[in-house]
Amino acid sequence: MASKTLSEIAHLDDEEFRLNKDLANQINEMLEGQHFGSDCAKSGRPMLLEAVLWCVGGAIVWIVALRLVN
């Protein structure tokens, strides 16, 4: 195993701190401002309803196709 020097460890700590700070800034930007007013924060109900309707429609087509084949 190679042991790391003190400067390498300090560099890694600085890198981790910078990444954590960047992540915190991105999360704060998502919680306030324009992003929160966009479609991302709206209800997913319409999309879920459309998905259910497509699944039901697909099941109906599948059952009709099976009935026509038999």
Side-chain angles (χ1 to χ4, degrees):
M1 276 192 170
S3 61
K4 296 184 181 194
T5 64
L6 188 57
S7 64
E8 289 173 332
I9 293 172
H11 175 71
L12 288 177
D13 287 342
D14 289 341
E15 182 74 14
E16 289 176 5
F17 177 75
R18 187 181 61 77
L19 290 174
N20 286 339
K21 187 175 178 181
D22 289 343
L23 180 59
N25 288 338
Q26 289 176 4
I27 290 172
N28 285 333
E29 287 175 11
M30 287 175 56
L31 294 177
E32 56 190 41
Q34 292 179 344
H35 182 81
F36 193 69
S38 70
D39 291 340
C40 295
K42 292 185 180 174
S43 171
R45 187 175 187 274
M47 188 177 7
L48 182 62
L49 181 61
E50 181 182 357
V52 168
L53 290 175
W54 277 108
C55 289
V56 169
I60 291 170
V61 168
W62 181 54
I63 290 170
V64 169
L66 288 176
R67 295 281 182 193
L68 289 176
V69 171
N70 288 334

